[in-house]
Amino acid sequence: FFTDEGGVLRTTDKATLTAVPEKTKTYMLEISYDVLEASGAFDGYKGNFQSFGLINLEAGKVVLRYNGEICK
């Protein structure tokens, strides 16, 4: 993750993609993020967060929600 001003939040990620039954080309996406390095506007930040949502490859649409805590 980064800002236009040069802030960087580098994470290690683990993603799981699961097909949604009876929904063609639609998948549930779950990702966990652990902050490894933070600089610029994010300097000193630590923590972890998750995202989850749906991907429809046929329509080219993604809806994700984020949850977690990143603290300085």
Side-chain angles (χ1 to χ4, degrees), residues 11 34 51:
T11 62
D34 291 309
S51 64

Side-chain angles (χ1 to χ4, degrees), residues 3-7 40-41:
T3 67
D4 290 340
E5 293 80 30

Side-chain angles (χ1 to χ4, degrees), residues 4-72:
D4 290 340
E5 293 80 30
V8 176
L9 191 62
R10 192 166 68 91
T11 62
T12 183
D13 311 337
K14 180 179 178 184
T16 303
L17 190 65
T18 306
V20 176
E22 301 180 24
K23 296 282 187 178
T24 305
K25 297 186 180 181
T26 301
Y27 300 87
M28 175 70 177
L29 177 62
E30 299 174 270
I31 306 172
S32 62
Y33 307 86
D34 291 309
V35 175
L36 295 179
E37 182 182 328
S39 63
F42 298 117
D43 193 38
Y45 282 80
K46 298 177 183 179
N48 56 60
F49 57 103
Q50 303 79 38
S51 64
F52 57 94
L54 293 173
I55 296 176
N56 183 306
L57 297 177
E58 192 168 58
K61 294 183 178 180
V62 177
V63 175
L64 289 177
R65 294 182 182 199
Y66 291 86
N67 181 46
E69 190 169 309
I70 302 172
C71 301
K72 190 167 188 178

